[in-house]
Amino acid sequence: MQSILKGLVERPNTFKNLKPALLIEQSLNRGEGKLASNGALTAETGKRTGRSPKDKFIVKDSVTEAKVNWSDTNRPFAPDKFEALFNRVTDHLKQKDLFVQQLFAGADTKYRLPLQVINEYAWHNLFVRQLFVRPSTEELASHVPEFSVIAAPTFEADPARDGTNSEAFIITDFSRKIILIGGTKYAGEMKKSIFGVMNFNLPQNNVFPMHCSANVGGDGVSALFFGLSGTGKTTLSADPTRGLIGDDEHGWSASGIFNFEGGCYAKCIKLSHENEPQIWNAVRFGSVLENVKLDGADRTPDYNDQSRTENTRCAYPVEFIDNAVIPGIGGHPKNVVFLTADAFGVLPPISKLTPDQAMYHFLSGYTAKLAGTEAGVTEPQPNFSTCFGAPFMPLAPKVYAAMLGERLKQHNAQCWLVNTGWTGGAYGTGKRMSLPYTRAMIRAAVDGRLLNEKFAVENAFGLTIPTSCPDVPNMLLNPRNSWGDKAAYDKAAAALAEKFAINIEKFDVPEHIKAAGPSPVAR
């Protein structure tokens, strides 16, 4: 199989390690995209405008059988089926021009994973070049890939023949060290597949892999922001007063925090210079815009148009953010923020968590699935995603939870739960939390000012909330105050509390952890 891979990447019609300008030229010449007025390359992903979780598999063999937490998110795939599908995909690619990048996952040289990404599309190859860590000239000369990603979007599987769920597939084989992707143009599958590999490998080296963004202050102390897509990881970590380590995936080792990636993958629906100036300025030549419509002859991006999807995206190198930390490494965090976009509008804007509550909400991983983030999701849905990243976590949740608990205790880090979702009512009735207010609350928490305020325990969820916060109206801090119909709030809050209580029962955790969560009956 490795000889087949070698044959693919050594053909005359294979383009290796092309720089952005040449990849953009190739994309335009091949009709894969257009240049926007700001210089970004725009591309469309067709009917799949988000991840396809039901089409993701892990090959079940001697390496994975006893380690992987087999479930609806970690579906097994037979080795012989993988072998047959791999051969069909490589036969398909022999007729194509291919683009190859040699890259790394991981800014810390002690733990990084050398990668080889083979693409059928030039714009996909630009995407991975900007999203992963780019080797220096010296590193490239000695680069030996330990994992290969093969992305063949024009190859569609036959489920009856190939053993897939649909024409699309994202399959990781840890024995062959290959990720095979087909039937989908959505570039995020490549990024998230490597995240899954890191989440499998790193705990074996006592490194805690995390679905979080991270930034760092002038004192070298980091802050972490856990959360699923659409909760604000990228937006809230891009703070001009702090250095950006990374926007989505990190490891926590004995030395501190390190970014898995060399770029950012930001949602850009309703992107504006006023609310997100750093991300706005990062969208320029070398960036990739996904599913963003262009207006007029000058091809101006229309960030408010969601006719293709609400999950419009932009990929760009992390150094396009002015205060990015290169390499993406920081000290141990003192503040850990759990972000949730509560579609019911009942969770407080910010809550201070006890250690038991931190473990409870980490295991719960509550948010709402937002429209377009996954195939088939057209409106927000309540979602409990363990460890704020269940689709990307191959091991048992207790492995990741134990690693978080140990580090919180060792470094005396404070956890916060922040609702970036709705207030004053549920989705469709209330309104989205004000971004400037959310920023103010997080800055007060991270710089220590919020701890000087008075706190009270609210009734619905037993959460400790501030009664005041710098630059935020007091009325906003208790969500019940924002609802005109208090009885409606109480009913909605009780319903969500019950969902929490039902969800936590699936975990084998001590009673004191379960008791740290909300009760179905209002307190």
Side-chain angles (χ1 to χ4, degrees), residues 329-367:
I329 295 173
H332 296 289
K334 289 297 183 184
N335 287 278
V336 175
V337 179
F338 297 156
L339 300 171
T340 177
D342 173 31
F344 295 106
V346 293
L347 283 179
I350 190 166
S351 310
K352 182 176 66 171
L353 302 181
T354 67
D356 284 352
Q357 287 176 325
M359 297 304 295
Y360 183 99
H361 284 280
F362 182 67
L363 286 169
S364 299
Y366 168 72
T367 190

Side-chain angles (χ1 to χ4, degrees), residues 17-289:
N17 303 314
L18 293 187
K19 293 185 178 180
L22 290 176
L23 286 170
I24 292 169
E25 181 181 350
Q26 287 282 345
S27 298
L28 297 174
N29 290 341
R30 294 157 58 91
E32 295 176 2
K34 300 176 181 178
L35 273 186
S37 59
N38 55 15
L41 179 70
T42 63
E44 296 181 32
T45 64
K47 69 177 182 178
R48 293 181 183 267
T49 58
R51 292 183 299 103
S52 301
K54 294 181 180 180
D55 298 302
K56 186 173 74 71
F57 302 89
I58 297 174
V59 173
K60 189 173 185 178
D61 57 17
S62 59
V63 172
T64 59
E65 184 172 9
K67 291 181 180 178
V68 169
N69 180 42
W70 301 108
S71 63
D72 288 342
T73 56
N74 294 316
R75 295 175 173 82
F77 203 80
D80 60 328
K81 287 288 188 181
F82 181 88
E83 183 85 24
L85 185 56
F86 172 84
N87 289 331
R88 292 188 186 101
V89 171
T90 51
D91 284 344
H92 171 80
L93 292 178
K94 288 176 183 176
Q95 313 305 318
K96 307 287 184 179
D97 291 343
L98 296 179
F99 299 87
V100 179
Q101 288 288 334
Q102 312 291 336
L103 302 158
F104 293 110
D108 189 329
T109 57
K110 185 176 180 180
Y111 301 108
R112 70 185 183 186
L113 177 70
L115 306 174
Q116 173 179 253
V117 186
I118 303 169
N119 296 114
E120 184 180 353
Y121 287 163
W123 81 264
H124 274 186
N125 205 236
L126 175 63
F127 175 92
V128 295
R129 178 185 172 87
Q130 306 299 52
L131 258 292
F132 292 113
V133 178
R134 295 158 290 281
S136 66
T137 302
E138 294 75 17
E139 290 171 332
L140 192 59
S142 59
H143 187 281
V144 178
E146 293 182 17
F147 233 95
S148 295
V149 179
I150 304 172
T154 65
F155 180 94
E156 295 188 347
D158 178 345
R161 178 194 66 189
D162 298 317
T164 59
N165 184 58
S166 73
E167 79 281 359
F169 53 90
I170 306 96
I171 310 172
T172 302
D173 188 326
F174 283 98
S175 292
R176 298 172 177 88
K177 297 186 176 181
I178 292 172
I179 295 168
L180 196 61
I181 302 173
T184 174
K185 298 179 183 178
Y186 184 65
E189 299 287 14
M190 295 179 286
K191 160 190 159 66
K192 288 302 185 185
S193 294
I194 289 299
F195 185 37
V197 171
M198 300 293 275
N199 290 334
F200 182 84
N201 288 343
L202 287 178
Q204 300 174 59
N205 293 315
N206 196 32
V207 176
F208 174 35
M210 305 173 293
H211 188 208
C212 71
S213 59
N215 61 28
V216 63
D219 56 1
V221 177
S222 303
L224 304 182
F225 303 83
F226 285 83
L228 295 179
S229 176
T231 57
K233 294 191 310 298
T234 301
T235 297
L236 293 168
S237 57
D239 184 335
T241 68
R242 296 174 62 84
L244 178 67
I245 300 174
D247 83 321
D248 196 45
E249 304 167 5
H250 293 81
W252 192 347
S253 72
S255 302
I257 305 300
F258 66 95
N259 191 1
F260 289 172
E261 302 177 302
C264 301
Y265 192 35
K267 288 195 75 170
C268 51
I269 192 69
K270 298 181 181 177
L271 177 66
S272 69
H273 185 271
E274 179 184 5
N275 284 335
E276 299 170 274
Q278 290 187 297
I279 296 174
W280 177 277
N281 292 332
V283 186
R284 56 184 191 258
F285 187 81
S287 299
V288 180
L289 286 170

Side-chain angles (χ1 to χ4, degrees), residues 435-445 447 449 469-472:
L435 180 57
Y437 288 152
T438 299
R439 287 191 189 279
M441 287 182 277
I442 288 178
R443 284 175 179 166
D447 67 22
R449 288 176 295 149
C469 176
D471 304 316
V472 179

Side-chain angles (χ1 to χ4, degrees), residues 377-389:
V377 178
T378 57
E379 61 182 24
Q381 301 172 1
N383 179 42
F384 292 93
S385 185
T386 309
C387 308
F388 292 98

Side-chain angles (χ1 to χ4, degrees), residues 384-402:
F384 292 93
S385 185
T386 309
C387 308
F388 292 98
F392 325 117
M393 305 292 181
L395 306 180
K398 65 181 181 182
V399 174
Y400 307 109

